[in-house]
Amino acid sequence: QLQASGGGLVQAGGSLRLSCVASGRIFRINVMGWYRQAPGKQRDLVATITDSGTTNYADSVKGRFTISRDNAKRTVYLQMNSLKPEDTAVYYCNANIQQRSFYTPQNFWGQGTLVTVSS
C-alpha cells in the first residue's frame, strides 16, 4: 500500500530525499507523514502534512527537513538537508487512507528505508 524509497548512506552535512507512494484502492488520503526509528529506540515522529498542506515537524528537524506531497501522484516526500549522524535511522512513511467513501480511514505504514549519516 505504501512504498518508500530514497534512503542511503550520506556524509554529515549532506542531503537526501525520501519518497513514499501510496497505491491500491484509495478514496482519500488524509494526513501523510514520516517517522523514524533508531537502533534500540522507539519510533518517533519526524514530520506530517495534511491534505491541504499544513505541516508539522519534530523540533530536532525544524529548519533542516521539508515535507511535501503531490496529491495527484499520491506521494509524500521528505527533503533532508544538513544531515547529522543522529539522523541515522530507519525512516517509515505513514498515511491515513480512506479506501472507500463509506470506509473508516485507517493508518498504513511503509516498509521503511534506512538512512545512515556518517561523521
Side-chain angles (χ1 to χ4, degrees):
Q1 193 84 13
L2 293 177
Q3 182 69 41
S5 61
L9 174 64
V10 64
Q11 288 188 330
S15 298
L16 281 176
R17 188 193 195 205
L18 306 183
S19 300
C20 177
V21 59
S23 62
R25 185 181 299 278
I26 296 173
F27 172 73
R28 176 183 292 129
I29 303 177
N30 299 311
V31 177
M32 303 184 83
W34 290 95
Y35 293 73
R36 66 186 181 186
Q37 187 167 18
K41 296 189 176 181
Q42 66 182 20
R43 190 175 299 187
D44 291 326
L45 169 73
V46 176
T48 61
I49 184 168
T50 68
D51 55 352
S52 59
T54 300
T55 58
N56 179 55
Y57 295 93
D59 288 343
S60 59
V61 306
K62 283 180 181 177
R64 300 187 299 122
F65 291 10
T66 302
I67 189 170
S68 61
R69 64 190 279 174
D70 184 329
N71 291 327
K73 295 182 178 179
R74 299 173 170 179
T75 301
V76 62
Y77 305 97
L78 185 69
Q79 178 66 44
M80 305 184 293
N81 299 328
S82 302
L83 282 161
K84 304 175 181 180
E86 51 263 43
D87 294 317
T88 295
V90 177
Y91 284 70
Y92 297 90
C93 59
N94 174 274
N96 185 263
I97 297 174
Q98 186 177 6
Q99 292 183 287
R100 291 182 185 242
S101 60
F102 49 91
Y103 278 19
T104 299
Q106 293 181 290
N107 276 329
F108 292 88
W109 291 93
Q111 84 285 6
T113 185
L114 177 62
V115 172
T116 304
V117 185
S118 63
S119 57

